Amino acid sequence: MLRSVTNYLPLYFLHSIERDSRGNPYGLGCLKDTLGSANRQQLPEDSSFKALEERLQEAQQQIEEQAAYNEKRDVEIAAREADSAQVTADQKEKLEHLSLVEKYLRQTDPQFLDFMATHSSTATERIPSTPPSNDP
């Protein structure tokens, strides 16, 4: 019984597949038969192919220009980041120095403590920034 099913399977398959407008089954047969003679002439290059080739070359040139621009920009960004890091380090060093000066003055100079108390942002009464005039 198995033998009889396998004999009908190719025939059933051929009847169930789709065919193109000429009646050729899709996916079956020799490629040479489907495409025609193996000695087909090569299609001449037409203007649309050349135009596409030119567009491809232009696109490649634009990609290269963009890559060069990106590389230049990356170098500039790295230089700015290095400058910023240096400025930050300098400011941190100055703050540490000023903190040491403040600590020293707090321990040694009572007038400094008075000055800080009158000029702090939490003080309720602020000293004017311009000295009062001595006009009579």
Side-chain angles (χ1 to χ4, degrees):
M1 178 148 178
L2 182 63
R3 184 177 241 176
S4 64
V5 171
T6 57
N7 288 341
Y8 293 111
L9 186 60
L11 185 61
Y12 175 73
F13 178 74
L14 287 174
H15 288 302
S16 66
I17 62 171
E18 293 187 34
R19 297 178 179 271
D20 64 7
S21 62
R22 296 181 183 161
N24 297 323
Y26 287 111
L28 296 177
C30 178
L31 184 59
K32 182 178 174 186
D33 293 340
T34 305
L35 295 177
S37 172
N39 297 329
R40 292 175 77 173
Q41 295 179 355
Q42 294 290 337
L43 293 174
E45 292 186 5
D46 59 353
S47 62
S48 64
F49 178 75
K50 288 183 180 183
L52 286 174
E53 195 171 48
E54 289 173 5
R55 287 179 57 196
L56 179 62
Q57 289 174 351
E58 289 173 5
Q60 183 65 31
Q61 182 180 2
Q62 288 177 349
I63 289 171
E64 291 171 0
E65 290 172 358
Q66 186 66 38
Y69 171 77
N70 288 345
E71 187 174 334
K72 180 181 174 185
R73 188 192 63 198
D74 290 345
V75 168
E76 291 173 354
I77 289 172
R80 275 188 259 141
E81 287 175 351
D83 290 344
S84 176
Q86 182 63 42
V87 167
T88 302
D90 292 345
Q91 289 175 346
K92 184 176 180 181
E93 185 179 327
K94 286 179 182 179
L95 281 173
E96 289 172 359
H97 179 72
L98 289 173
S99 294
L100 285 174
V101 170
E102 180 187 9
K103 184 177 180 181
Y104 172 77
L105 288 174
R106 283 185 184 275
Q107 292 175 357
T108 60
D109 191 357
Q111 291 178 349
F112 177 75
L113 294 176
D114 293 339
F115 175 81
M116 290 298 291
T118 58
H119 287 81
S120 69
S121 61
T122 59
T124 57
E125 190 176 303
R126 299 196 58 108
I127 298 174
S129 59
T130 58
S133 61
N134 292 334
D135 293 335

